[in-house]
Amino acid sequence: METKLPPASTPTSPSSPGLSPVPPPDKVDGFSRRSLRRARPRRSHSSSQFRYQSNQQELTPLPLLKDVPASELHELLSRKLAQCGVLFDFLDCVADLKGKEVKRAALNELVECVGSTRGVLIEPVYPDIIRMISVNIFRTLPPSENPEFDPEEDEPNLEPSWPHLQLVYEFFLRFLESPDFQPSVAKRYVDQKFVLMLLELFDSEDPREREYLKTILHRVYGKFLGLRAYIRKQCNHIFLRFIYELEHFNGVAELLEILGSIINGFALPLKTEHKQFLVRVLIPLHSVKSLSVFHAQLAYCVVQFLEKDATLTEHVIRGLLKYWPKTCTQKEVMFLGEMEEILDVIEPSQFVKIQEPLFKQVARCVSSPHFQVAERALYFWNNEYILSLIEDNCHTVLPAVFGTLYQVSKEHWNQTIVSLIYNVLKTFMEMNGKLFDELTASYKLEKQQEQQKAQERQELWQGLEELRLRRLQGAKEAPLQRLTAQVATTGGQS
Amino acid sequence: MAGAAGSVSGPGAAGGDGDDSLYPIAVLIDELRNEDVQLRLNSIKKLSTIALALGVERTRTELLPFLTDTIYDEDEVLLALAEQLGNFTGFVGGPDFAHCLLPPLESLATVEETVVRDKAVESLRHISQEHTPVALEAHFVPLVKRLASGDWFTSRTSACGLFSVCYPRASNAIKAEIRQHFRSLCSDDTPMVRRAAASKLGEFAKVLELESVKSEIVPLFTNLASDEQDSVRLLAVEACVSIAQILTQDDLETLVMPTLRQAAEDKSWRVRYMVADKFSELQKAVGPKITLSDLIPAFQNLLKDCEAEVRAAAAHKVKELCENLPIEGRETIIMNQILPYIKELVSDTNQHVKSALASVIMGLSTILGKENTVEHLLPLFLAQLKDECPEVRLNIISNLDCVNEVIGICQLSQSLLPAIVELAEDAKWRVRLAIIEYMPLLAGQLGVEFFDEKLNSLCMAWLVDHVYAIREAATNNLMKLVQKFGTEWAQNTIVPKVLVMANDPNYLHRMTTLFCINALSEACGQEITTKQMLPIVLKMAGDQVANVRFNVAKSLQKIGPILDTDALQGEVKPVLQKLGQDDDMDVKYFAQEAISVVAQRLRKLDFPDKDSEEPSTPGADKSCFLRPTGPGECAGKFLPRMISRQKETERLGWLPRRQ
């Protein structure tokens, strides 16, 4: 087996997403539900789903599953499943109330039955079950009401058919978690196409739906070994499209959370495919505008990789430096936070490789006019492990940051920053007094040299520009000269 | 580092001599490698200068290899590089050496960032035209093939954009290979590549032989149009337009229409949206026969689609669709097959749908003629004029001229008025601004009597709006109205009301008087300006608010050219001189500016012969003087005085030059 799922926690949830026993009916799963608190309907929203059922049949309540003899159970079960495959218009909240109630009751019963009754899941019911689930959950998500939907600011659009949809998801989850569930049978129906459509649903604006999808996909990944590579590949496609084409996909955080737990289970040594995922997908994900929505999960994934294989550190840090935010201070603070997480687990041998470019960037952050960025960067010096790394390599690190720190200590508008820098300089002095004195002495000289270099650059370009003009002039005049020369020679001959 | 720095100074200083051998490549490359991204970017943007300094040969042998090797940089820098290389043929020695540019561009075409890649492809497409057919097959086609079979999706995506530029000039054997590569990209494993291929399918079809289009492109099109991802399917709709243009009617019916019908009923709204959005193009491409048999029913479905996005996109196309129908039988088709659906849309639940419809519905009146308009369209216009959403009402009002041509405006005017009044008082200032901009148009269509009776008070009310942009627009509006209705009308209806505001307790309103005078004086002419406006302006020179006083100075400067010498000499000059001694430095500044302009004007009026170059007749002189003081430029924001002054000086900068 190439990968194994972790038995325990995922990044944000304290409780287990693993193969825990079937949860009590009122509690769905161990994944945290923090997104639920803002689940307040704003306005009913259209759904593309309903238009495909034109002739609505009347639903009549069937006998309860527990009331029939075992011999008739499966026949009734499949009739109930068929009943639950009927869709209702939830935009019109008073339409067909009776039918909705019948379906709701049937779904509730199915949830109950598949969760608690043994021996229900026999082979013939699998196709019925998967069909019922597919009909209900697979739909083209409606267009977002707000084209500039900001997951952090705006209220999400909630799925109007949630009263039924929730029960279908719940049923799906119980089905997957049932002790009777046989992946070898189910894999005929839960195939690549099924998974692809499941992944597309992650774009749902409704956080409750994404929460269910996350748990379900996690279970699917765990139980269907044959689908694992495919799921990872399709996740890659979603991410790459998100990064380079759309910049819009609602379920990035959820997918990353699942991947975090998958990475955790990667076997060593890491396969090329997984390394490529880190370098070509996870690192570029840092460049996306809405980073704040999924940064925690992303940083977790990155650190997981580095804990698996420390030799990737250089790649990761250079990648982060490449995508370092230039104008968004909020993102810059996140980058600094992630960098500190990485430095917390870095091996000294790796630190040596990236210390110079890294600390030049840190120095630039310290000189940021936004005090939160400067402050976050200066907090690095409060971290004892980082401090020890700096101390071991002070001959490289100090020259890289000294000039900036020295300058900012005199110029920064924010008093807190100035005093923090003062502390850092003091640490440097204690760390290596001699080097500190040398740097102080050469600071002025370097400033002058910089100015001189700038001047020289200007002169160089001026020279080049003059040369260019002369060349252009020459190019214009050249044909003329040739012509006159020609005239002169022919004139001489005649 | 120190060594490099030292070496810069020598050639840099010597550069002035023009001896290019003194520029070692290392120095130039140092510039391209500078630690500061901004400097690096600047250097790349001047890459042509560097190449020129190196000469064509060293550009080829030294600079290009360097550029090819060091393609790991900020995307910003790479983008600039990709752009530069597209116009670099001249710097490497002309078309014979154009292929030297391919290696760096090939690397750029494989980078991750879409913007960079697209630019590299654009440059490659450009350069491909400079290749000879032989060089194209020797260098360019192999590059396309390498990209098309690259490992990572980025290079394959880039390849999609290059097939159509090399296909027409390749030999038959190569052509077959190119088609083969394109085919395999259309069924690539990665959706990104399939999307790129789908988006280039139409372009590629256009350069192919008709036989190949039928035998190869159509199957590809059919496959892409039924892709598992809707993002691919919707791109096939675009390709459909190009393919349909190439095929004959019979082929269209059998090869393309089944797929198009399917797209119009796709389960994903994005695909249906695309069909609606491309409807006019599709209509033109498939011709009138298929339009009637297939597209009209499809359009009806799109107009009642369950997604508002689709309905809005279709509503936008209503007018174009109707216009492009064959004239014969057009009226019947519209009346029977389109109009019933439009009627429904007027009361749609979604405001975007209604406003999309409102922006085109008026255009139908010219197509349907007077009777149909009165009987069928007018009720719809009236309903939309009463719509709850201001955008819908605005869209109707902004297209009034179409209806005016057909039925005259009187049919609408009774309903127009409440709609206009409501928009004029809308809580959102942008809505008010929009309706003000239609006022001159409305005034022209409704006539002066209706205007005086109903709308004049609105126009005056805008002058005291609490948003500056509205007051400014209202001022311009007055000027346009005067141009329309004439000076007599201005004198009787507008000017008195404007001048009354000079005594308003609010200094902002007093300033509005000045701005109105600035805008109106030209249109009103010398008499009104001298007799009615000037006294008020002069009186306001004693205002207690400095902003008002320096705007008096600006106004005097502005209306100066309209006044005669007596007024300038006897009335304007003393007041300006007094303002020139003001305590406030801004007032002083603008007064002095005005004094110098007025003085020049006086000098010229006294000695018209001296300025022989300038036209000396007052009329012509006036026009040249007035041009810069058009209403659009009447600056003078209220509070940021320093800024307004700066603007003012910039604008006045040309005056001395002209004199």
Side-chain angles (χ1 to χ4, degrees), chain A residues 206-312:
Chain A
D206 193 332
R208 301 169 302 183
E209 181 167 17
R210 296 202 305 272
E211 207 62 32
Y212 263 113
L213 286 165
K214 180 174 71 181
T215 321
I216 286 169
L217 185 69
H218 189 264
R219 301 294 183 273
V220 170
Y221 191 89
K223 301 207 176 220
F224 298 88
L225 303 190
L227 287 172
R228 289 187 172 184
Y230 184 78
I231 291 175
R232 288 197 307 269
K233 191 173 81 180
Q234 293 305 330
C235 284
N236 276 0
H237 292 163
I238 288 175
F239 289 141
L240 289 169
R241 178 157 197 240
F242 173 65
I243 301 167
Y244 296 115
E245 291 183 13
L246 283 183
E247 292 227 331
H248 182 89
F249 191 84
N250 290 314
V252 174
E254 283 80 5
L255 287 178
L256 283 171
E257 204 171 325
I258 299 169
L259 284 162
S261 70
I262 293 175
I263 295 164
N264 203 334
F266 280 158
L268 286 173
L270 288 177
K271 290 164 108 185
T272 329
E273 177 214 323
H274 301 323
K275 289 186 190 168
Q276 206 175 46
F277 170 64
L278 171 70
V279 176
R280 303 196 115 156
V281 180
L282 289 185
I283 300 296
L285 261 178
H286 286 85
S287 66
V288 176
K289 198 169 76 184
S290 55
L291 177 69
S292 58
V293 181
F294 55 85
H295 182 252
Q297 290 82 352
L298 179 59
Y300 176 84
C301 287
V302 170
V303 174
Q304 286 289 299
F305 260 112
L306 298 185
E307 283 188 341
K308 288 258 162 197
D309 184 351
T311 58
L312 293 166

Side-chain angles (χ1 to χ4, degrees), chain A residues 46 48 51-52 140-141 143 196 233 237 241 244-245 280 326 456-457 461 463-464 467-468 470-471, chain B residues 9 18 20 23 31 34 52-53 74 112 114 189 191-192 195 231 266-267 269 272 306-307 309:
Chain A
S46 62
S48 279
R51 66 182 210 127
Y52 300 104
T140 308
L141 295 168
L196 187 65
K233 191 173 81 180
H237 292 163
R241 178 157 197 240
Y244 296 115
E245 291 183 13
R280 303 196 115 156
K326 302 222 168 23
E456 280 161 2
R457 171 170 307 110
W461 281 105
L464 285 171
L467 178 67
R468 189 178 71 93
R470 250 200 319 278
R471 285 275 169 93
Chain B
S9 64
D20 38 293
Y23 288 112
E31 282 297 291
N34 198 300
L52 211 58
E74 298 266 346
E112 244 95 7
T114 326
D189 193 33
M192 277 80 78
R195 277 195 287 276
S231 54
D266 198 282
K267 67 180 192 305
W269 62 271
R272 301 197 303 274
C306 63
E307 288 300 347
E309 258 77 358

Side-chain angles (χ1 to χ4, degrees), chain A residues 158-182:
Chain A
L158 298 178
E159 172 59 45
S161 64
W162 191 242
H164 284 173
L165 206 55
Q166 178 189 12
L167 292 169
V168 176
Y169 277 123
E170 184 65 42
F171 171 74
F172 190 12
L173 195 59
R174 302 274 182 101
F175 169 64
L176 290 169
E177 287 175 347
S178 159
D180 290 342
F181 178 75
Q182 288 176 284

Side-chain angles (χ1 to χ4, degrees), chain B residues 352 391 452:
Chain B
H352 296 293
E391 210 181 317
D452 276 346

Side-chain angles (χ1 to χ4, degrees), chain B residues 360-434:
Chain B
V360 297
I361 190 173
M362 307 290 267
L364 291 181
S365 47
T366 35
I367 304 172
L368 288 177
K370 189 171 176 181
E371 258 173 53
N372 283 325
T373 303
V374 173
E375 196 183 335
H376 298 285
L377 292 179
L378 198 59
L380 305 182
F381 300 159
L382 295 178
Q384 294 216 296
L385 270 179
K386 294 192 189 91
D387 199 277
E388 54 178 13
C389 163
E391 210 181 317
V392 176
R393 282 173 272 152
L394 265 179
N395 280 346
I396 290 289
I397 290 175
S398 63
N399 287 308
L400 274 180
D401 43 341
C402 315
V403 183
N404 201 13
E405 285 165 26
V406 183
I407 58 166
I409 206 132
C410 43
Q411 302 254 20
L412 272 173
S413 53
Q414 285 316 308
S415 310
L416 266 179
L417 195 65
I420 294 171
V421 172
E422 210 174 311
L423 289 170
E425 288 159 359
D426 198 281
K428 293 199 181 71
W429 69 266
R430 282 175 202 281
V431 175
R432 299 200 296 275
L433 185 63

